[in-house]
Amino acid sequence: MSRLRLRLAGMLLAIAIAGLAGAAPVQAGNNHPVVLVPGFLGFGPDQFNGSGFLYWGGFDDIAERMRAGGAHRVLAAAVSPIAVNWDRAAELYYQIKGGCVDYGNEHSTRHALDGVAKPAGKCWAADPADNPHRYRLAFYPAWDGAHPIHLVGHSQGGTTIRALIELLEHGSPNGDEGGGDLYEGGKVGWVTSVTTISAPHNGTTLRDAVQDFPSLLGAWATMVDNFVLLAAGPPNPWVAPPPGIATSSMSGDFDTSQLEMAPDGARAFNKWARTSPHVYYFSIGTRATEAGSACCNDTDRFVAPLQWPSYQYARSDMIYFCRATAGELIAPMRIQRGIGSYTQSAPDRVLVDRSWFVNDGVVNTSSMKGPAGHPQRNYNGSAQRGTWNYLRTYEGYDHFDILGWPGGPAPVFPVYDRIGAIIYAL
C-alpha cells in the first residue's frame, strides 16, 4: 500500500474513532459531594422518622436517587426553619465542615433576638475518633478549595446558599466577628455550583400581601405537620407546630426572616450577597396559577368562583394550604389582595406590578430566575460561571410539587436527574 493510501486510511480511521467518541455518553467532569438545603419551614431527613416522609421527595427519596446507587455522595442538610439567611448559612457551614455554630459576635449583637453567638449543642464532629461529646458527624470535613462541593437549595434554601458563598469569599461586613473562621473570607473555589429551585431571589409578595402573617404561619405550620401525619397514618387529635418553631418566636425570628424575603428586604439582601464569578449558578422556576377565566380553566372555583383575566388564580391541584393566598383575594376574608393580584408602587419601595402575579402558591415565578441586577441568561446547554443560568419553568408545579410531595402533576426524579447531569459534567 502506498504512503498516500496509508495516510488516507489513517485519516478515515481517525474520523471514525472521533465519530464513535462523539456518540459515546459524556463522562462526568467531577464527582464533588452535593448538599441539599431546605427552605423556609423546611426540615432535615430525621425530622419525621416514624412516618418515612422526607423534605426532599416526600415518600420517595431524592437524595438517594441522586446518589445513583452510590456513585455520588449526596447529603440532606437540616437548618433552622425560620431563621434569617445569615444564621442558616452559619449552621450549614459548620454542619458540612465540622465545629460548633458561631453566628458571629457583631451580627448577633445587632440582629439576634437573644444575642447568643454560639448556642449550646449546635455542633458537628469533624473527626469521629475525637468526639467525646458524641456530636453528629460533619458531612465533609475535608471541604476546602481543593475539595469543593455542589449546593442545591429549595425556596429560602437558595438564598441561604447565596449568603454562605458571600461569607465564604468575602467574610463579614462587620469586621471581626469574634474569630469564627467562616467570617475571615478568602474561601474562593469552595463551591463549584449552586442550583436554586423556586427561590425568592427578589422576594415573595406573600409577606406583604398577607397583613396578619404571624397568625398565618401558625396555621401553615399546623397544616404542614398535619399533612405529614395524615399521609403517614391516623391523624392526631392535636397537632403542634413542627419542632424548632416555638410560638413565642413567631413574631420575632419568623417576622425577621420574612422581612428579608419580602421584595424590599430581598433588594437589600441582593446588594450584599453577590454573584461570585467563580461559581456556576443554575435556577429553576415553578408555576401553579392560571389567568382568570369566566369558566373552564383548571383553577379552584371554590376558592375563586368569580375571576378576572388580568389576575392569576390557584390551580385546583395546588397543595391545599397555599390556594387561599395564591389568587386574587385571600380566602375566606376576600378583603385583602393575594399574590395573584397584589401590586405596590410606594416611593422608595420595590415596584410590584402585574409581572409578579404568576406564582407557585408561595413565591412569585418572576423572582425565581435570579437576583435583580445580577447577570442572568437562559441555559442553552452550555453553562457560564458568574451568571444565573435559568434552566426552565415547570408549569403546573406548585412550591411543594417540585419536591416530590404527594399530589404533584408528575414524578420529579427527572428534574433532579437533569440537575445531576449538568453539575457532574462541569
Side-chain angles (χ1 to χ4, degrees):
M1 186 180 290
S2 67
R3 286 186 178 180
L4 179 58
R5 288 183 177 178
L6 284 171
R7 286 180 181 175
L8 286 172
M11 290 172 61
L12 290 171
L13 181 60
I15 291 171
I17 292 172
L20 288 172
V26 176
Q27 297 299 311
N30 69 87
N31 198 17
H32 306 320
V34 174
V35 179
L36 306 177
V37 185
F40 180 73
L41 291 183
F43 47 89
D46 300 325
Q47 186 79 57
F48 297 104
N49 256 339
S51 71
F53 191 87
L54 300 171
Y55 185 84
W56 296 93
F59 289 110
D60 292 316
D61 191 339
I62 287 171
E64 183 59 33
R65 171 76 175 205
M66 294 185 72
R67 291 183 189 112
H72 307 296
R73 188 174 184 185
V74 181
L75 304 145
V79 293
S80 294
I82 58 172
V84 295
N85 286 313
W86 176 301
D87 293 357
R88 287 163 55 95
E91 294 171 9
L92 183 59
Y93 174 79
Y94 290 101
Q95 189 170 163
I96 299 170
K97 183 68 175 172
C100 294
V101 169
D102 182 354
Y103 298 123
N105 288 349
E106 288 297 318
H107 169 78
S108 298
T109 299
R110 296 183 188 187
H111 302 288
L113 295 178
D114 54 14
V116 176
K118 299 176 181 179
K122 282 195 174 183
C123 301
W124 288 266
D127 183 359
D130 183 17
N131 186 16
H133 299 289
R134 297 185 179 181
Y135 293 135
R136 292 161 292 180
L137 297 181
F139 284 171
Y140 192 46
W143 184 31
D144 59 19
H147 305 88
I149 62 175
H150 301 287
L151 291 165
V152 177
H154 172 253
S155 193
Q156 192 192 2
T159 50
T160 295
I161 290 169
R162 290 175 51 208
L164 176 60
I165 292 175
E166 176 66 26
L167 292 170
L168 287 171
E169 295 194 354
H170 302 285
S172 169
N174 304 324
D176 182 25
E177 289 284 359
D181 57 351
L182 171 60
Y183 307 110
E184 297 171 355
K187 299 176 178 62
V188 174
W190 285 42
V191 177
T192 297
S193 79
V194 168
T195 304
T196 64
I197 303 167
S198 309
H201 292 296
N202 301 308
T204 168
T205 57
L206 183 59
R207 171 59 177 84
D208 291 341
V210 181
Q211 292 178 332
D212 192 15
F213 214 66
S215 297
L216 183 66
L217 169 66
W220 270 29
T222 299
M223 284 189 287
V224 169
D225 206 14
N226 202 24
F227 174 82
V228 173
L229 292 170
L230 284 170
N236 283 354
W238 181 84
V239 182
I245 302 179
T247 54
S248 62
S249 72
M250 286 183 182
S251 62
D253 290 340
F254 169 73
D255 196 52
T256 301
S257 67
Q258 282 306 288
L259 286 171
E260 186 177 50
M261 288 194 291
D264 296 324
R267 177 172 61 181
F269 178 78
N270 290 343
K271 291 179 180 178
W272 172 68
R274 287 162 277 192
T275 294
S276 169
H278 310 287
V279 177
Y280 289 100
Y281 292 88
F282 304 95
S283 55
I284 287 173
T286 44
R287 173 182 181 171
T289 58
E290 294 186 13
S293 174
C295 72
C296 312
N297 58 11
D298 291 325
T299 62
D300 185 335
R301 290 283 169 174
F302 179 79
V303 173
L306 300 176
Q307 301 182 2
W308 301 94
S310 54
Y311 299 136
Q312 291 283 312
Y313 298 87
R315 287 174 54 92
S316 58
D317 55 3
M318 179 185 287
I319 197 165
Y320 70 94
F321 57 81
C322 292
R323 296 179 206 169
T325 55
E328 177 194 0
L329 299 172
I330 296 174
M333 298 179 292
R334 302 193 190 283
I335 58 174
Q336 176 72 15
R337 293 200 173 275
I339 309 175
S341 73
Y342 178 83
T343 59
Q344 191 288 123
S345 58
D348 301 323
R349 296 190 62 193
V350 172
L351 174 66
V352 176
D353 57 21
R354 61 180 302 128
S355 67
W356 289 74
F357 292 171
V358 174
N359 66 87
D360 69 355
V362 176
V363 176
N364 313 78
T365 303
S366 63
S367 185
M368 301 174 187
K369 186 172 184 178
H374 296 220
Q376 299 176 18
R377 64 191 286 268
N378 291 326
Y379 180 71
N380 61 1
S382 176
Q384 291 183 8
R385 277 195 184 95
T387 190
W388 286 88
N389 300 272
Y390 191 60
L391 299 184
R392 62 169 286 189
T393 299
Y394 283 86
E395 300 285 347
Y397 287 72
D398 67 36
H399 202 66
F400 302 98
D401 289 336
I402 200 67
L403 291 171
W405 288 25
V412 295
F413 279 160
V415 176
Y416 296 89
D417 290 345
R418 188 185 184 207
I419 292 172
I422 290 172
I423 64 177
Y424 288 129
L426 295 174

